[in-house]
Amino acid sequence: MSGIQKATFPVYINTLIAFSQTIHNKLAHNPLLLLAAAVVTATIVSVLLLYTMPAAPKTTTIPNEHKKPLEFIEDVTTNAGEVQNSVLSEILKQNSKTEYLHRHGLNGAGDDIASFKKFMPMVKYEDLQPDILRIANGDKSPILCSLPISEFLTSSGTSGGERKLMPTIDDELDRRSLLYSLLMPVMNQYVPGLDKGKGMYLLFVKSEARTPGGLVARPVLTSYYKSRHFIERPFDPYNVYTSPNEAILCSDSYQSMYAQLLCGLLENSLVLRVGAVFASGFIRAIHFLEKNWPRLSHDILTGTLDAEITDSAVREAVMKVLKPNPSLASFIETECRKESWQGIILRLWPNTKYVDVIVTGAMSQYIPTLDFYSGGLPLACTMYASSECYFGLNLNPMRKPSEVSYTLIPTMGYFEFLPVNHRNNSNDETLDHHDLVDLVDVKLGQEYELVVTTYAGLYRYRVGDVLRVAGFKNKAPQFNFVRRKNVALSIDSDKTDEVELHAAVKNAVNHLEPFGATLFEYTSYANTTTIPGHYVLYWELRLGSRAIPPSVFEDCCLAIEESLNSVYRQGRTADGSIGPLELKIVEDGTFDKLMDYALSQGASINQYKAPRCVKSEPVVQLLDAKVLSNYFSPKCPKWVPGHKQWLKDN
């Protein structure tokens, strides 16, 4: 194996981790050098891992149960154009009696595909909202879809400060399950032997509500985890989890996390892969472990479950696997008591081969933290999906995050692409449906906004994701995720745009008026170095004659949070996935310095305006060097499940 044997790999890793801990102790006083050392260590481990993992699927024997899924991928990507036409025809035929299609001139005739391409407009959520609210309020007529709407999936995007409601039908669960069934056949080509152990996946359900018409409204993953497709899934040796269903389905996030980590620790030697949906969620789990490992270790030592786990179903499920194990408890205590937690994943779960989390898009900001805790394990981004539709998967999941591309599976929906206009770094809003490009006609290197038509009643819906064509799998394009349109700040599943942020800041500044102070300039930053991450705002003020008490600035923090959308407020209040907002007051002249820096980097003085969100580390360092004082939101903002208008009606 090119000089490094698999049998000796753990020795290399343990030696490297021990060396890294020594470096950590010596450089603890210098954060920049410490970070550099961590990056170097992670890089070395990644190189070592490359030598111990198949570089290509050609040398791997394909298990019989994986041949059919891989043949399916080969078939639908080879015939992508024909499959897409068939999907569109099937959608239009199924929904031919709907009010929406009739409204746009489609009447169920044989030329519906031609009419669709000629007349059907592109839409955003706001265009569909009146129809969606009719369904939410109990109208059961075929408005968007001929089949009954089974529930609403709540999108992480928002409209008017509330989660978007995406209609779905029962059949969509079959399509989602199909995409999940393709993941391990693909992964096994690169990481064989995953049927010999288990996956420690930290999966959670979130709160749900009912619309006035009685339909459930909940996140797409909560819908899937509560479905028979997940709960009654047949045994698959490649998809055995350490977490019992009862722990995953527990609505109490503390009890769910505690039970899932405990079960993962109990079977630590069997764990071959670890993960969560988002990188932010996995890092929160590590933080939870840092705070609660003494309790977890005590449970393992004594074989008794902590009294705070009161959910009877969870207790019963955990007690089936919880037995006294003093040696494991001692091992956990030894590792967790060490000063540095660098490489803690490989130390506690030594047979782990990769971390399965989404680290594309806004989640890429967590990659250095994941590298630190995982000891440089590969980060696998396996699939691309949203509340609107499940799109595709990563056919080379061992690529590093910066090279991840997703292959859209043509059977999932009908996909079209709106070219991005680079002249003004945004889509030209004068473009219309005549400018759309079919899946098989996109051009290599070009960026597009994804537009989707679904079986559940979305027609030429603009998802808001910007994708770049990175290559092709047969006739099906493979896309890099470039960005989410108009998103300025994101920590977890929240998405805050500049317009919303500006309105929130404007509301908060009202607290300064009695003191004669005004806001000169501001910007923001998503700080993911804390766990959980949190929003940071930098304000440069023009002060009046009266001093401003700290409590007023805290009120400003809370006012901003109260003004942000429901996804943000849920993350702060119910999920604990976002930390308290921080306000930093900076010196006079700070934003002049920021402009000077931008000009030194090539910005035009005629076009420069202060950015409402910053990401560059040098810019953040410049701002932090000018901070006079900082304040945090004193409490969580108000949030309750459901839309405000439903609550008023009730």
Side-chain angles (χ1 to χ4, degrees):
M1 184 184 285
S2 304
I4 298 179
Q5 299 300 316
K6 282 186 179 180
T8 61
F9 178 69
V11 176
Y12 285 92
I13 290 293
N14 290 333
T15 302
L16 190 58
I17 288 173
F19 171 74
S20 300
Q21 289 169 349
T22 302
I23 294 296
H24 178 276
N25 294 335
K26 292 184 179 294
L27 299 180
H29 64 284
N30 192 322
L32 288 177
L33 288 177
L34 185 61
L35 178 60
V39 170
V40 170
T41 301
T43 302
I44 295 172
V45 174
S46 297
V47 172
L48 289 174
L49 283 162
L50 287 174
Y51 282 98
T52 65
M53 196 167 290
K58 295 178 182 177
T59 60
T60 302
T61 301
I62 299 174
N64 288 333
E65 62 266 41
H66 289 172
K67 288 180 180 178
K68 191 173 180 180
L70 294 175
E71 288 171 358
F72 170 81
I73 294 172
E74 193 69 25
D75 178 58
V76 297
T77 55
T78 299
N79 302 293
E82 294 88 342
V83 172
Q84 280 281 276
N85 285 335
S86 176
V87 165
L88 180 58
S89 178
E90 189 176 347
I91 290 172
L92 296 178
K93 182 178 179 181
Q94 172 186 291
N95 296 325
S96 62
K97 305 299 184 185
T98 59
E99 179 183 321
Y100 189 85
L101 290 186
H102 286 196
R103 192 186 302 162
H104 292 286
L106 279 74
N107 55 16
D111 63 347
D112 266 0
I113 287 184
S115 299
F116 175 91
K117 294 196 171 187
K118 185 175 182 181
F119 299 117
M120 187 62 65
M122 289 187 297
V123 295
K124 296 181 179 179
Y125 182 78
E126 290 71 22
D127 301 312
L128 299 179
Q129 196 168 29
D131 289 323
I132 287 173
L133 290 179
R134 282 173 59 193
I135 300 169
N137 283 303
D139 191 333
K140 299 188 185 308
S141 58
I143 300 170
L144 297 173
C145 180
S146 292
L147 296 177
I149 300 300
S150 56
E151 62 181 310
F152 284 110
L153 304 177
T154 53
S155 169
S156 58
T158 63
S159 175
E162 296 295 327
R163 285 182 180 271
K164 297 175 182 176
L165 298 175
M166 296 299 164
T168 192
I169 56 179
D170 284 332
D171 289 356
E172 283 297 321
L173 277 167
D174 295 328
R175 272 179 280 276
R176 289 177 215 137
S177 296
L178 169 65
L179 199 62
Y180 283 122
S181 74
L182 303 176
L183 298 179
M184 293 313 294
V186 170
M187 182 62 76
N188 185 70
Q189 298 178 97
Y190 296 88
V191 190
L194 294 175
D195 56 331
K196 309 304 181 189
K198 297 187 176 186
M200 187 185 75
Y201 281 78
L202 303 163
L203 309 175
F204 304 92
V205 296
K206 293 194 174 184
S207 61
E208 54 189 56
R210 283 198 177 271
T211 71
L215 291 173
V216 174
R218 57 191 175 186
V220 62
L221 290 172
T222 298
S223 170
Y224 178 70
Y225 298 148
K226 289 190 172 185
S227 73
R228 61 175 177 81
H229 296 73
F230 181 79
I231 295 173
E232 301 173 9
R233 63 193 185 279
F235 176 78
D236 176 359
Y238 290 89
N239 269 312
V240 181
Y241 299 148
T242 58
S243 296
N245 286 352
E246 294 83 355
I248 294 171
L249 297 175
C250 177
S251 59
D252 184 307
S253 60
Y254 174 88
Q255 294 188 61
S256 177
M257 179 77 82
Y258 191 98
Q260 292 191 62
L261 281 173
L262 178 58
C263 291
L265 288 167
L266 285 166
E267 300 187 289
N268 72 319
S269 63
L270 294 177
V271 171
L272 301 181
R273 54 197 175 113
V274 299
V277 177
F278 294 113
S280 55
F282 189 74
I283 290 170
R284 284 202 312 279
I286 298 173
H287 184 56
F288 185 97
L289 182 62
E290 283 186 277
K291 292 173 62 177
N292 293 284
W293 70 259
R295 287 186 172 193
L296 293 161
S297 179
H298 178 268
D299 289 356
I300 294 171
L301 174 67
T302 61
T304 59
L305 183 56
D306 192 280
E308 286 197 30
I309 308 305
T310 57
D311 186 299
S312 59
V314 174
R315 289 193 70 87
E316 182 179 348
V318 172
M319 289 308 298
K320 289 179 181 178
V321 294
L322 179 58
K323 302 290 186 293
N325 191 334
S327 61
L328 177 58
S330 175
F331 167 74
I332 293 169
E333 181 175 359
T334 298
E335 292 301 329
C336 292
R337 281 199 183 279
K338 291 179 179 177
E339 183 176 352
S340 172
W341 268 47
Q342 184 174 359
I344 194 65
I345 298 302
L346 269 176
R347 284 154 49 191
L348 291 178
W349 294 276
N351 297 315
T352 305
K353 298 185 178 183
Y354 63 92
V355 181
D356 187 349
V357 289
I358 294 174
V359 287
T360 49
M363 291 295 120
S364 63
Q365 59 195 336
Y366 294 101
I367 291 173
T369 307
L370 284 170
D371 285 340
F372 177 84
Y373 285 121
S374 74
L377 283 169
L379 305 176
C381 301
T382 55
M383 66 185 293
Y384 172 38
S386 76
S387 302
E388 294 89 341
C389 180
Y390 276 30
F391 303 120
L393 64 160
N394 182 358
L395 295 182
N396 190 346
M398 288 297 102
R399 278 182 178 163
K400 53 187 182 179
S402 61
E403 298 174 356
V404 166
S405 64
Y406 299 103
T407 303
L408 269 59
I409 300 301
T411 58
M412 301 306 295
Y414 184 68
F415 305 121
E416 296 174 282
F417 301 86
L418 184 66
V420 169
N421 182 348
H422 283 284
R423 288 175 300 176
N424 55 12
N425 293 322
S426 66
N427 278 351
D428 185 344
E429 293 300 334
T430 63
L431 294 175
D432 62 21
H433 62 274
H434 296 104
D435 299 288
L436 287 168
V437 177
D438 286 340
L439 178 72
V440 295
D441 294 328
V442 297
K443 304 299 182 185
L444 186 66
Q446 173 67 48
E447 291 184 4
Y448 299 90
E449 181 184 350
L450 177 59
V451 178
V452 65
T453 297
T454 71
Y455 288 88
L458 299 179
Y459 307 93
R460 283 188 161 167
Y461 181 86
R462 297 176 68 170
V463 175
D465 291 351
V466 176
L467 310 175
R468 181 188 302 113
V469 183
F472 294 85
K473 167 67 173 176
N474 298 319
K475 298 289 182 63
Q478 299 175 309
F479 294 93
N480 303 131
F481 184 94
V482 178
R483 68 181 184 276
R484 178 78 180 175
K485 285 188 68 182
N486 302 323
V487 174
L489 294 170
S490 179
I491 293 293
D492 189 50
S493 58
D494 53 300
K495 297 178 177 70
T496 300
D497 63 31
E498 288 190 9
V499 173
E500 182 180 12
L501 178 65
H502 185 72
V505 169
K506 188 176 179 181
N507 289 339
V509 168
N510 291 333
H511 289 276
L512 303 181
E513 288 183 359
F515 302 89
T518 57
L519 178 63
F520 172 71
E521 195 56 273
Y522 75 93
T523 191
S524 62
Y525 168 60
N527 185 345
T528 57
T529 62
T530 61
I531 304 174
H534 67 286
Y535 289 7
V536 178
L537 270 73
Y538 298 90
W539 283 9
E540 183 175 331
L541 301 176
R542 294 294 179 261
L543 297 174
S545 57
R546 296 179 58 194
I548 304 174
S551 61
V552 172
F553 287 120
E554 291 177 353
D555 290 341
C556 290
C557 294
L558 184 58
I560 294 171
E561 293 196 303
E562 293 279 11
S563 302
L564 295 178
N565 62 68
S566 64
V567 181
Y568 175 90
R569 288 181 283 114
Q570 179 178 348
R572 274 282 286 124
T573 304
D575 303 335
S577 59
I578 305 173
L581 181 140
E582 183 179 8
L583 176 60
K584 295 185 176 183
I585 308 302
V586 297
E587 299 174 1
D588 286 352
T590 295
F591 279 82
D592 290 337
K593 297 290 185 184
L594 187 60
M595 181 178 70
D596 292 342
Y597 176 80
L599 297 180
S600 74
Q601 300 300 303
S604 167
I605 192 168
N606 294 320
Q607 295 179 317
Y608 176 81
K609 61 178 181 179
R612 291 295 172 240
C613 176
V614 297
K615 297 179 181 179
S616 166
E617 189 61 33
V619 172
V620 174
Q621 290 177 355
L622 184 157
L623 291 165
D624 281 339
K626 303 296 183 181
V627 171
L628 298 172
S629 57
N630 69 312
Y631 310 90
F632 288 91
S633 189
K635 60 182 180 180
C636 290
K638 298 182 184 69
W639 175 83
V640 291
H643 279 219
K644 289 179 181 176
Q645 58 194 337
W646 302 343
L647 300 172
K648 289 176 184 175
D649 292 341
N650 292 337

